[in-house]
Amino acid sequence: MLALLALMWGLSWPITKIALSQIDPWTLRAVGLNLGGIGLLIVAHLQSYRPFVERDEVKYLLPVALFNVTLWSISAAYGLSQVASGRAILIAYTMPIWSSVLSVVVLHEPFGLRRLLGLVLAVAGLATLVTPAWKNLEDAPVGVALLVFASLCWAIGTVAYKAAPWRSPAIVLAGWQLILGAVPITIGMMAIGDPAVLATMSLRTAAALAFVMIVPMFLCYYIWFKVVELLPVGISSIGVTAVPIIGVLAGALILQERVGPAEGIALILIASALWVVLAKPLHHKKLSS
């Protein structure tokens, strides 16, 4: 699931950048989140799940939706509109740094040598990619700040999700997170967005919007929360550090953004980080099965 998640999330960043060329962030996120959430609940119903969360889970769901969906989605979209997709994804995926620390403090997850080494390798990989481009990033300080803020919100939301005593299925929780998180964004779309552009957008933008609704807003959200259920937050967070590599390469292929030797070095470092933190847990699961 982590491999599939990395592939889909990585591809989604340059494609989202295409959608943002004509659609404002409020409209893009409102449409994607609402349709993605409704789609998840329809699939849950077809799988014979009750498409509603338990009443006592609402108090946990609201703050998780705020950080994981509302603040993350709109901050990342505005940041992406100002920064090249390949560089934007690198900043957004500093999330493992924040979540690894928060998971130890809030969830009391063990922070052993393997996780420390994996985190160091992952951060080194991200730094290898960000450092050469820092001069360009200085030209968009607001975009960089928004992406860092989005990353921190994602980490807080993920740790809060892991801490809550859920009983509802992951697909139902993911659907309601998208719908509840979309409420303030939908209000923002009506107030300052431009939903009328949906009637005049190009075929290329419409295809990008369809991809955004189906892949990151539908499939990726469900898979991510399922992964968080199965693995500790620190490990699942480091596990998605493969996303920036795919995002940078996808940005080069789709948007002709520059790729150099730094990407190769970062790939080795991040692949090493994934092996360090995931090899042992997967090995134990294989033995126990």
Side-chain angles (χ1 to χ4, degrees):
M1 283 193 290
L2 272 174
L4 181 61
L5 187 66
L7 176 63
M8 293 193 299
W9 253 341
L11 287 171
S12 72
W13 280 74
I15 295 175
T16 301
K17 182 83 171 178
I18 293 172
L20 286 168
S21 65
Q22 283 189 286
I23 306 172
D24 67 276
W26 293 97
T27 302
L28 177 71
R29 291 309 196 196
V31 172
L33 290 170
N34 280 300
L35 293 180
I38 292 170
L40 284 169
L41 294 182
I42 290 173
V43 172
H45 177 69
L46 293 175
Q47 292 180 346
S48 299
Y49 290 123
R50 180 175 174 269
F52 299 100
V53 297
E54 302 296 331
R55 182 174 297 181
D56 61 338
E57 293 177 330
V58 175
K59 63 178 178 290
Y60 303 113
L61 194 61
L62 290 174
V64 168
L66 174 65
F67 283 98
N68 255 340
V69 179
T70 306
L71 295 176
W72 155 261
S73 295
I74 200 64
S75 299
Y78 266 109
L80 179 58
S81 68
Q82 299 182 40
V83 179
S85 70
R87 303 309 164 195
I89 193 173
L90 299 176
I91 301 168
Y93 277 80
T94 55
M95 185 273 281
I97 302 172
W98 321 121
S99 62
S100 291
V101 174
L102 288 172
S103 66
V104 173
V105 175
V106 178
L107 303 176
H108 307 293
E109 290 185 358
F111 197 79
L113 182 60
R114 273 179 171 266
R115 190 182 295 189
L116 176 61
L117 178 58
L119 181 61
V120 169
L121 288 169
V123 171
L126 294 174
T128 301
L129 288 165
V130 170
T131 303
W134 189 251
K135 195 167 184 180
N136 293 332
L137 294 177
E138 288 176 342
D139 296 331
V142 175
V144 172
L146 285 169
L147 288 163
V148 172
F149 177 70
S151 176
L152 182 59
C153 288
W154 182 14
I156 293 171
T158 299
V159 171
Y161 179 84
K162 186 72 173 181
W166 307 110
R167 298 195 307 279
S168 300
I171 190 169
V172 175
L173 292 170
W176 279 107
Q177 279 189 71
L178 296 190
I179 292 171
L180 292 173
V183 171
I185 295 178
T186 303
I187 295 172
M189 177 189 72
M190 301 306 294
I192 59 177
D194 183 22
V197 75
L198 297 174
T200 59
M201 60 184 171
S202 67
L203 183 60
R204 182 171 184 257
T205 303
L209 176 61
F211 181 92
V212 169
M213 289 188 297
I214 295 169
V215 177
M217 296 299 176
F218 181 83
L219 295 173
C220 290
Y221 264 103
Y222 168 64
I223 294 174
W224 170 245
F225 291 116
K226 194 67 180 175
V227 166
V228 172
E229 279 187 358
L230 297 173
L231 295 173
V233 168
I235 291 178
S236 58
S237 299
I238 295 172
V240 297
T241 51
V243 176
I245 291 294
I246 296 172
V248 170
L249 295 176
L253 290 172
I254 297 171
L255 302 176
Q256 286 75 55
E257 295 175 352
R258 184 180 175 278
V259 174
E263 282 72 24
I265 296 171
L267 177 60
I268 294 171
L269 289 170
I270 290 175
S272 300
L274 295 176
W275 182 84
V276 165
V277 298
L278 293 175
K280 188 176 181 180
L282 293 177
H283 178 63
H284 281 331
K285 284 193 173 186
K286 186 176 179 181
L287 288 177
S288 63
S289 61

